[in-house]
Structures are given as C-alpha cells and as structure tokens.
Amino acid sequence: MEYLALAKSLAVDLTVVGPEAPLVDGIVDAFLAENKLIVGPTAAAAQMEGSKSFSKQVMAEGGVPTARFVEVFTSDDALAALAQFTYPVVIKADGLAAGKGVVIAQTHPEAIETIQQFLGGSLGEAGKKLVIEEFLTGEEVSFIVLTDGKSVLPTEPAQDHKTIFDGDLGPNTGGMGAYCDSRILTADQRAVVINKIIQPTLDVLRHRGTPFSGFLFAGLMITSEGPKTLEFNCRFGDPETQPILFRMEGDLGEVLLALAQQRLHEVKLAWNPDPSICVVLAAHGYPAKVRTGDVITGFDLAEAAGAKVFHAGTKQSGVQIVTAGGRVLGVTTGGSTLQAAVDQCYKAADHMHFDGMQMRRDIGQKGLKRW
Ligand code: AMP
Ligand code: GLY
C-alpha cells in the first residue's frame, strides 16, 4: 500500500487517518501487519461508516436507540417496505457515497424515484443495497469519542450545519460550520449517549472480534424520546474537529500515541469550558461544481482578530494562496460566551475574501437559547 511505503520512507512514528475511504480500504490493517503505529479502525470495524446496514445491525444487536429500519435489495422489497412507514421517509444507500447517499423523501413518488435511482446504479455499488428508515425530528448533535478498543475518552458535543444556506435551507454539504459547547447536551443526555449508544456499540464490535479503535463519531438526533443515533462515522468530523480541538487542552499527539499503543487509560482529556465555533468559507459553486483558483486574502487581519484560520481546499500559487476545493477555509474562534465566540468569529471571517466566497451567517444561533 502506497501510504505504508510513504510512512516507512519518511520514518513516520505515528499516522493518524483523516478520511473514511482509506480506513474502509484497510489502511490500518496494512500498518498493523508491519507494526507501524496508526490511529483508526481496522477495515472490519470501519464498516460502521462503510455500510449503513452493518451499522444498523450492530445497533440492533446492542439495543442502541436509532430509527426503525428495513434493509432491501430490490425495488419490489423496497415497495413493500415503504408501506410500513409514513412520510417523510429516509432512503439510504448502504455504501460510501460522499454525502450523496441519504435522501429524505417527502412523498411516495419521490421515494420510488430515489429507490430506482440508487438500485439502478446512480451511486455505483454503494446503492445496490438500501436502508429505508423512519424520519426522526429534533436537533442534530455530533458526539465523538476516542477509544483504543478498551478505554473510552469522550470529547465535547458539537453541532454541525449541513445545508449551504442560512436557516438550514438548500442542498446538503459536508458541513458549513460547527460550534462546540458543553451545553449542547444535558448531563442526562450525555449519560444516555455514553451508556446506551457509544458503550453498547463498542461492546458489540468487541464481542464480534472486531474491536473499534480510533475516533467513533455518533451523529445523533435529540428527539422528544431522548437521543437516537442517525449514523456512525469512523473518523473525526469536519468541521466539528476544528471547534472541538480548539477547546482541547494539552498535547493531542501524546493522547493519540497512547491510543495507538493501547494505553489510552493512562491519559486524560482536559477542556477549556468556553465554547468555540468554526465558520466554513466555501468556494463559488459549492456544493455543486466548484470554481478553483480564486485568490484568497485577509489571513493576517483574521488572525489578528483572534481567529485560527484552518486550510482545507487551498493551495499555494506563486506568492498567493488560491482556492482549490469546495470547503476552502475554517475560521475558528472561542469566547467566554457562545455569543462572544460567534461575534468574534464573524468579525474575523469578514476580513477574509475571495471571489465567489460563500459563508453561512447563522452558525451557532441554535445554541444561543441554551445560555
Ligand atoms: P447520515 O449520513 O446517515 O448522517 O445522513 C445525513 C443526514 O441526513 C443527517 O445528518 C440527517 O440530517 C439526515 N438524516 C439521516 N437519517 C435521518 C433520519 N432517520 N431522520 C431524519 N433525518 C435523517
Ligand atoms: N460533519 C460531518 C462529517 O464529518 O461527516
């Protein structure tokens, strides 16, 4: 595997895997086979993100609260399954589909059309098996833990903003901004998430002989009946990672080394109690076809205004930095209150400029009611 060869040639001590595709493809198995330290789940455990039906089965086995679901392979079975649900109904392609594999169908004809497209191959192999599930309502929360397969270290709750436009309107994106605030979950909700969602899920995977190691990301819906699981990811989320790490104190490298060496019980995570926020600056055209090559300015002023500006889709072109992807930058700040963090973040973000720049203006607004 090319990554393994690279890690060896650079004498890398510890590799931390960001995206899901190499995890599902077995990068961790390849590194472990050669005793190279790496943070992430094996291919078998990464199926928690790689296959929706796999993760639903694990949840069912562990009694984890989640939406009622049916798994189908054919349109006839899908039609029969639809009769068990009301609308809107959620149709999910089983495999990895880069954020395009979930459709919330408002009507029966829309559900049928989605099912036919997915089963017909619009997403390739990813859509050859489907999960049809009950639509849940509530507020979405991202909750990420670090685990070495035995110990679990929770991080702090965050909330992503998935659609491109303010007010949760428009098409879904990879995430247009997130904030991290301990008030997102009450103590009771946090206990439910850890004891009824995270722990039973990890227990099932361990009992199956495929323990999960790395970052386990639970995408939750806080329903009137309590937290329920929408999905699991097998990595740190984007843009949740930026505000979560902004609040983390201490040396993340030491923690990840302990995780990779299966001695996570020896370390602790410490948190700045103040909330944090990341506003994503996205390129012209995103989330459809993006334009690249637009010159970016304002880094110095934004950082002088107290922000950390994380690069995502950028590249150096001569002396300039230009756009090179959909989500270009993540402007991140903290504050003594959520409102203060929001105000400072937008002040900093307003110093940034590139042609066609898109930014939501309402990141963090939902959290203000908890203050
Ligand atoms: P997923 O990739 O499963 O997280 O789905 C992507 C997005 O679809 C989620 O972030 C939710 O906004 C939405 N979603 C997924 N499953 C459900 C559900 N059962 N009920 C309501 N919304 C859902
Ligand atoms: N922000 C959600 C994700 O990383 O999938």
Side-chain angles (χ1 to χ4, degrees), residues 103-152:
V103 169
I104 295 168
Q106 300 295 334
T107 62
H108 189 65
E110 201 187 324
I112 301 280
E113 192 187 324
T114 304
I115 287 164
Q116 281 167 352
Q117 279 174 1
F118 282 4
L119 288 175
S122 65
L123 299 172
E125 283 304 306
K128 291 295 164 81
K129 185 187 202 181
L130 307 178
V131 168
I132 298 180
E133 69 177 39
E134 170 198 11
F135 177 75
L136 300 176
T137 52
E139 250 187 75
E140 280 190 62
V141 174
S142 304
F143 195 79
I144 302 166
V145 302
L146 277 61
T147 177
D148 59 0
K150 296 175 295 210
S151 307
V152 177

Side-chain angles (χ1 to χ4, degrees), residues 2 5 23 46 74 80 119 124 128-129 145 156-157 176 187 199 222 228 242 279 326 352 357 367:
E2 93 196 70
L23 292 166
T74 66
L119 288 175
K128 291 295 164 81
K129 185 187 202 181
V145 302
E156 287 288 292
M176 289 298 289
Q199 199 59 58
I222 310 303
K228 294 192 180 181
Q242 294 88 319
V279 172
M352 299 303 306
M357 183 173 103

Side-chain angles (χ1 to χ4, degrees), residues 160 162 174 217 233 235 237-240:
D160 191 7
K162 298 219 179 202
F217 172 135
N233 294 326
R235 54 187 167 78
D238 180 13
E240 288 92 331

